[in-house]
């Protein structure tokens, strides 16, 4: 394994602050999102909030990404580019992924929001994906292994017939947005790296209604489902602590 950075309690306090800014930006996005709005307008709300907190949007210019948030609609899985040309519509599901860099550390969190009335099938996908994130978090105990986390997410979603995206996964987080280890949304119980106190990582199930296949659009960023089905994405950054997992990205 690459070196995993172990955070001190001082580091964790700072990570909570960065995480809280990301969490509040995400909450604001959920409250602001409405039919007729462009994804660029939503991105601006998120950008202005993060900057107003004295933080830097972690995703802006990351690998050349041209936005402060990834905004992915319906069959888009992740990495949707905010655009003046893209309008959010009634009945859409919209994943908003937000990162904030503050006082030396990053926070990274995502949720998929319903715009107005959505289908029962879409509601179920959002519910199961969000619940699977919490199943993964619950498995992130000192002495457990990364495979236990992935297994918890996978088991919860695959037993309901959904496809678990395998080409992308969660990641360590801290002074860098993406650190070791990789945190897959699938795995074998009792396998993989052992979890120790002070590890901080993002768990981020990306769950498709049908199949686990994905394609990347020609813009080089936007990942869509191969089947054309809906996809949902929820994420928190967490810390492994002796008293259990702590969510760092609460609003
Ligand atoms: Mg992430």
């Amino acid at each position: 394994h690459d070196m995993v950075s172990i955070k001190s309690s001082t580091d964790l306090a700072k990570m909570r602050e960065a995480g809280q800014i990301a969490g509040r930006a995400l909450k604001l996005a959920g409250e602001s999102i409405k039919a007729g709005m462009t994804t660029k307008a939503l991105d601006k709300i998120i950008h202005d909030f993060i900057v107003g907190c004295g933080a830097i949007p972690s995703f802006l210019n990351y690998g050349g990404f041209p936005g402060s948030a990834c905004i992915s609609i319906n069959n888009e899985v992740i990495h949707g580019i905010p655009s003046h040309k893209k309008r959010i519509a009634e009945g859409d599901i919209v994943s908003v992924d937000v990162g904030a860099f503050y006082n030396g550390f990053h926070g990274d969190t995502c949720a998929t929001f319903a715009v107005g009335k959505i289908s029962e099938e879409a509601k179920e996908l959002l519910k199961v994906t969000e619940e699977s994130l919490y199943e993964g978090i619950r498995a992130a105990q000192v002495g457990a292994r990364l495979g236990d986390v992935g297994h918890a997410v996978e088991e919860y979603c695959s037993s309901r017939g959904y496809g678990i995206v395998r080409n992308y996964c969660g990641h360590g987080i801290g002074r860098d947005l993406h650190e070791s280890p990789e945190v897959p949304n699938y795995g074998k119980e009792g396998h993989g790296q052992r979890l120790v106190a002070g590890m901080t990582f993002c768990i981020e199930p990306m769950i498709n209604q049908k199949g686990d296949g994905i394609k990347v659009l020609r813009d080089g960023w936007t990942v869509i489902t191969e089947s054309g089905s809906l996809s949902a994405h929820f994420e928190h950054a967490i810390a492994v602590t002796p008293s259990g997992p702590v969510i760092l990205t609460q609003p």
Side-chain angles (χ1 to χ4, degrees):
H1 304 291
D2 290 338
M3 276 291 285
V4 169
S5 76
I6 300 303
K7 277 75 174 181
S8 67
S9 55
T10 315
D11 295 341
L12 291 183
K14 290 179 183 171
M15 286 195 70
R16 241 203 210 97
E17 289 184 73
Q20 190 182 37
I21 294 168
R24 287 173 65 202
L26 182 63
K27 184 166 181 274
L28 175 64
E31 290 161 358
S32 307
I33 199 165
K34 59 175 192 289
M37 179 183 248
T38 66
T39 56
K40 191 72 186 176
L42 183 58
D43 183 67
K44 185 175 174 0
I45 291 169
I46 294 161
H47 175 93
D48 291 351
F49 177 82
I50 293 172
V51 170
C53 292
I56 296 168
S58 302
F59 301 167
L60 186 59
N61 301 320
Y62 185 90
F65 187 77
S68 293
C70 298
I71 304 176
S72 311
I73 302 178
N74 294 334
N75 65 320
E76 295 172 353
V77 181
I78 49 169
H79 300 169
I81 300 173
S83 166
H84 289 297
K85 291 178 193 155
K86 206 158 191 182
R87 236 169 249 287
I88 294 163
E90 168 82 16
D92 281 348
I93 62 168
V94 181
S95 301
V96 180
D97 196 346
V98 174
F101 181 70
Y102 184 73
N103 207 2
F105 289 89
H106 290 273
D108 183 4
T109 183
C110 176
T112 304
F113 300 106
V115 182
K117 252 182 113 61
I118 61 169
S119 69
E120 288 305 313
E121 294 75 21
K123 267 185 215 166
E124 182 67 13
L125 176 69
L126 299 197
K127 180 167 163 277
V128 168
T129 305
E130 184 170 20
E131 285 170 354
S132 78
L133 167 60
Y134 289 96
E135 293 293 318
I137 292 172
R138 261 193 290 282
Q141 305 287 342
V142 170
R145 290 173 182 270
L146 272 180
D148 296 318
V149 174
H151 178 81
V153 173
E154 181 183 17
E155 183 62 25
Y156 197 79
C157 297
S158 63
S159 66
R160 286 159 177 84
Y162 293 133
I164 294 108
V165 173
R166 289 169 171 260
N167 302 60
Y168 298 89
C169 58
H171 51 91
I173 184 168
R175 289 184 175 80
D176 292 314
L177 178 60
H178 295 117
E179 300 185 350
S180 286
E182 287 196 339
V183 183
N185 294 305
Y186 56 90
K188 273 192 188 148
E189 284 176 298
H191 284 70
Q193 193 160 1
R194 197 175 286 283
L195 305 185
V196 300
M199 281 176 78
T200 49
F201 52 84
C202 292
I203 304 174
E204 49 177 320
M206 293 153 246
I207 306 300
N208 300 345
Q209 258 178 336
K210 290 191 192 93
D212 58 8
I214 54 101
K215 287 190 286 200
V216 181
L217 294 186
R218 289 170 80 174
D219 63 21
W221 283 104
T222 314
V223 177
I224 63 167
T225 58
E226 199 165 44
S227 67
S229 78
L230 297 177
S231 188
H233 182 200
F234 284 83
E235 173 180 21
H236 273 306
I238 65 140
V240 177
T241 83
S243 49
V246 171
I247 297 174
L248 300 168
T249 38
Q250 299 278 21

